[in-house]
Amino acid sequence: HYEGVVDESSTHGEIGAHFHSSRTDTKDGEAVGIRITADDDFDMSGPIIKAFDIAVRGLCKGVRAQLIVPTMSKNPPGQKITLRFAIDIVDVSDKFLGANEFARMDTDYDGLITMEEWITYLQEYHNWTHDYIPDDIWDKADTNGDNIITWDEFDGPKGDVDPTKEEL
């Protein structure tokens, strides 16, 4: 679970203001009502989800951690919103420890990840409810712009051996 507040390093928004809680601000498991200020819509996808994924790696059940994330919201120049999350680790799964996520995503075993494969992976393993990947995230992953992600482009857990180069 997590609780989110506007961090004291922010230049926009009410410092210390609660803006979201996974315990109280959900409906049918989906986040609802995420607003930093009255005029600022906020999206919990993309960089925030990646920050959470990185921050909780290796944490044990029962641990409370702090995560501070600068937002990517469309603020006027000079207005910075920094979010602070208190994260409670309520359960831990080992299904991703040391896993080859590239192999999980490459469902047709061609050594390439398409956007459709990535979406299916996110829906199956990360409760992703969208049928798209935000352009900025896809473009960052697809470094050469050919609309596929190769073993070399993939920056997630993938083991040591490119599956397309393994000998039988």
Side-chain angles (χ1 to χ4, degrees):
H1 288 291
Y2 64 87
E3 300 282 334
V5 298
V6 177
D7 189 66
E8 54 271 1
S9 65
S10 295
T11 62
H12 185 61
E14 182 183 339
I15 304 301
H18 163 91
F19 68 87
H20 200 263
S21 168
S22 64
R23 295 180 194 271
T24 59
D25 300 326
T26 60
K27 181 177 181 182
D28 299 326
E30 292 294 314
V32 296
I34 301 174
R35 295 183 80 71
I36 308 292
T37 67
D39 62 346
D40 191 20
D41 288 322
F42 182 69
D43 183 1
M44 282 291 285
S45 65
I48 303 299
I49 298 300
K50 185 167 186 166
F52 265 73
D53 285 347
I54 293 168
V56 301
R57 286 183 190 159
L59 296 181
C60 300
K61 183 176 180 177
V63 166
R64 174 167 261 217
Q66 292 278 336
L67 172 63
I68 298 177
V69 182
T71 67
M72 305 296 280
S73 66
K74 299 173 185 143
N75 298 324
Q79 291 189 343
K80 178 181 90 168
I81 299 176
T82 302
L83 308 178
R84 182 169 26 99
F85 295 91
I87 305 169
D88 293 315
I89 307 300
V90 296
D91 199 4
V92 177
S93 169
D94 63 357
K95 72 179 181 178
F96 297 108
L97 296 178
N100 183 339
E101 297 306 310
F102 185 91
R104 285 190 181 171
M105 295 169 90
D106 182 21
T107 56
D108 63 2
Y109 310 107
D110 65 353
L112 306 169
I113 298 171
T114 64
M115 186 178 290
E116 292 75 24
E117 286 175 315
W118 194 359
I119 292 167
T120 300
Y121 165 84
L122 289 172
Q123 290 170 340
E124 183 174 337
Y125 290 100
H126 295 282
N127 299 318
W128 186 256
T129 58
H130 306 290
D131 60 355
Y132 65 92
I133 305 250
D135 289 340
D136 59 329
I137 294 172
W138 178 260
D139 292 344
K140 185 175 183 245
D142 180 23
T143 58
N144 66 6
D146 64 356
N147 287 318
I148 55 172
I149 299 171
T150 64
W151 174 266
D152 292 329
E153 290 174 302
F154 187 73
D155 69 352
K158 60 185 176 184
D160 297 326
V161 180
D162 179 342
T164 63
K165 297 189 170 119
E166 285 183 12
E167 292 183 28
L168 297 177

